[in-house]
Amino acid sequence: MKRLMTVGVAGLLALTGCSSDLPEAPPTVSSAPSATKSEFFDQAEHDRQLSLRDAAPQGPADKPWEQALNPTMVDTGKYAKPGPYEICFSNASVDNPWRQVGWKTMQVEATLHPEISKFTVLDAEAKDDKQISDIQQLTSGGCHALIVSPNTTATLTPAVEAACAKGIPVIVFDRGVNTKCPVTFIHPIGGYAFGATAAEFLASKVGQGGKVLALRVLPGVDVLEHRWAAAERILAAKGVQVAGVEFTGNDGAKAKSIVSDYLQRGDINGIWMDDGTAAVPVLEAFEDAGKKAPAISGEDQQQFLDKWKTEGLTAQAPTYPTYQWRTPVIAALKILKGEQVPQEWILPQPVITDQTLDQYRSQGMPPLHYALCGCQQMPGYPDKWK
């Protein structure tokens, strides 16, 4: 049975974000394919993302979710119509803390626009077949614009193309699809930039010959593969030894156990992570072994930022900002008003450093909160995000 959420915007703040546990972790894998042989590696896209790290964003300085890097604008006049509007959203899932924070933020964003009379949402529960059905249902109703966060890329592409064919403006964000038919595709710079930034930091801290353990979540996920593909190249070029590459399934206990095993074999100078969720358990493994904390790349998750601040870690946090969940709602309204939007809406992807840690870290937020939610000035903050 579908979980259909059709609500008047006035009542939207009463909703709470859905939550669920992460998927069961896969068995630990001790190695990963070389990036040079990876089917996921695209040299041109890799080079583009690394160059975008230095691009100057266009848009309001205090609203990074409205900024764009090197945008090519498209005309949307054919979609213009008077409001009020029903905005529809096909969501892949809310099956991890990052998506839960983003979903809460999107709900509040919808309440900020009185021209949105109805916000209709279907959650695919991380199932491709359900999302395909969800999109069909949404485009058969009264939606004026459709937002899609695809569960997977290739399988959802035909469903998105079918939605476009119905004349409804489609906005895709977070994960992409293999078609140019959406009016705009919204995402931060990407995985190559994330992985490269973390690897550059670690190489500068551990030096040539230093040992870095790479902790990955899952194999075969494009954005995660991109993160490691970029990192692997940089570590090799800098003469850093990769002590091992392990998959953790984002299970903190498993990640801690893996690190403990490595520490019994010798010293580890740095930890590279393609997802920072397990950063704190990883650091606890060093504490339990009586070892000095390593240089580490994490993310903008509250528990990691708190530990970094309290213990003065040698750390950096590349980010995949949850504020991107605000942008699709804004884009949908621009399109329905006939305003130009970027064809590929590339959002800034800030990096948290020692110098900016206090700027991003908030007091009193839950351990699994993400600092780059862009929600700090929104109605209901901080309670709704707790």
Side-chain angles (χ1 to χ4, degrees):
M1 179 177 181
K2 295 184 183 295
R3 293 191 297 165
L4 178 62
M5 186 183 302
T6 306
V7 293
V9 176
L12 193 56
L13 278 172
L15 293 171
T16 58
C18 305
S19 63
S20 63
D21 294 330
L22 289 167
E24 183 179 348
T28 300
V29 180
S30 59
S31 62
S34 169
T36 58
K37 300 178 181 178
S38 174
E39 63 183 291
F40 295 95
F41 186 72
D42 181 324
Q43 186 71 56
E45 178 61 16
H46 169 275
D47 296 347
R48 183 180 81 125
Q49 288 188 22
L50 268 57
S51 68
L52 280 169
R53 296 183 297 174
D54 299 319
Q58 299 180 27
D62 60 342
K63 297 179 180 179
W65 51 90
E66 293 186 24
Q67 295 175 0
L69 301 175
N70 297 349
T72 297
M73 308 302 285
V74 294
D75 183 77
T76 66
K78 68 179 182 179
Y79 298 111
K81 60 187 64 182
Y85 307 113
E86 178 180 358
I87 306 297
C88 297
F89 175 35
S90 170
N91 190 14
S93 68
V94 284
D95 63 356
N96 62 56
W98 184 88
R99 300 191 71 82
Q100 290 160 22
V101 170
W103 167 228
K104 291 174 186 177
T105 303
M106 177 184 271
Q107 291 178 71
V108 180
E109 178 65 40
T111 70
L112 303 180
H113 305 279
E115 57 268 56
I116 300 177
S117 59
K118 189 181 293 185
F119 190 41
T120 303
V121 182
L122 286 173
D123 189 314
E125 301 170 358
K127 300 173 184 175
D128 286 345
D129 56 347
K130 185 176 188 306
Q131 189 164 32
I132 291 168
S133 176
D134 289 348
I135 291 172
Q136 292 172 344
Q137 179 175 340
L138 290 170
T139 55
S140 298
C143 302
H144 295 107
L146 175 66
I147 298 168
V148 181
S149 179
N151 187 54
T152 60
T153 297
T155 306
L156 267 298
T157 295
V160 170
E161 290 176 327
C164 293
K166 294 187 176 183
I168 300 170
V170 177
I171 299 97
V172 172
F173 83 102
D174 174 27
R175 304 159 177 167
V177 286
N178 296 326
T179 176
K180 299 294 185 182
C181 81
V183 180
T184 184
F185 171 35
I186 299 163
H187 61 92
I189 298 173
Y192 294 122
F194 183 108
T197 298
E200 290 165 351
F201 166 77
L202 288 171
S204 73
K205 296 302 180 183
V206 307
Q208 187 171 1
K211 292 184 178 180
V212 167
L213 175 60
L215 297 178
R216 303 184 54 194
V217 178
L218 299 167
V221 178
D222 56 0
V223 68
L224 300 180
E225 294 286 354
H226 294 167
R227 291 177 183 184
W228 176 236
E232 186 180 26
R233 283 165 169 72
I234 288 169
L235 295 175
K238 298 291 186 180
V240 175
Q241 296 184 53
V242 177
V245 183
E246 301 285 349
F247 292 103
T248 69
N250 241 347
D251 183 314
K254 178 173 285 187
K256 182 176 180 179
S257 176
I258 290 168
V259 174
S260 296
D261 289 345
Y262 271 84
L263 290 174
Q264 290 177 17
R265 306 174 204 168
D267 289 338
I268 297 293
N269 309 116
I271 298 288
W272 180 92
M273 307 185 75
D274 67 4
D275 181 298
T277 304
V280 170
V282 164
L283 290 166
E284 290 171 350
F286 282 82
E287 296 167 6
D288 292 351
K291 303 277 189 177
K292 177 184 175 182
I296 185 170
S297 64
E299 270 189 278
D300 57 315
Q301 205 171 50
Q302 183 74 22
Q303 60 182 353
F304 177 65
L305 302 184
D306 284 344
K307 193 171 183 68
W308 180 357
K309 176 67 175 178
T310 301
E311 300 182 10
L313 299 173
T314 300
Q316 187 191 73
T319 68
Y320 192 65
T322 46
Y323 60 56
Q324 69 184 279
W325 288 70
R326 299 188 67 167
T327 315
V329 176
I330 295 167
L333 290 175
K334 284 182 174 292
I335 293 165
L336 291 171
K337 294 175 182 179
E339 299 175 15
Q340 289 190 334
V341 296
Q343 185 175 39
E344 184 182 14
W345 195 325
I346 306 173
L347 299 166
Q349 191 166 297
V351 179
I352 303 176
T353 65
D354 280 333
Q355 291 70 40
T356 59
L357 176 58
D358 288 340
Q359 171 188 338
Y360 289 109
R361 175 176 167 267
S362 299
Q363 298 282 354
M365 295 304 289
L368 302 183
H369 179 69
Y370 282 83
L372 271 76
C373 60
C375 59
Q376 287 82 357
Q377 304 302 318
M378 299 185 88
Y381 181 87
D383 291 346
K384 182 171 178 59
W385 284 263
K386 292 182 176 181

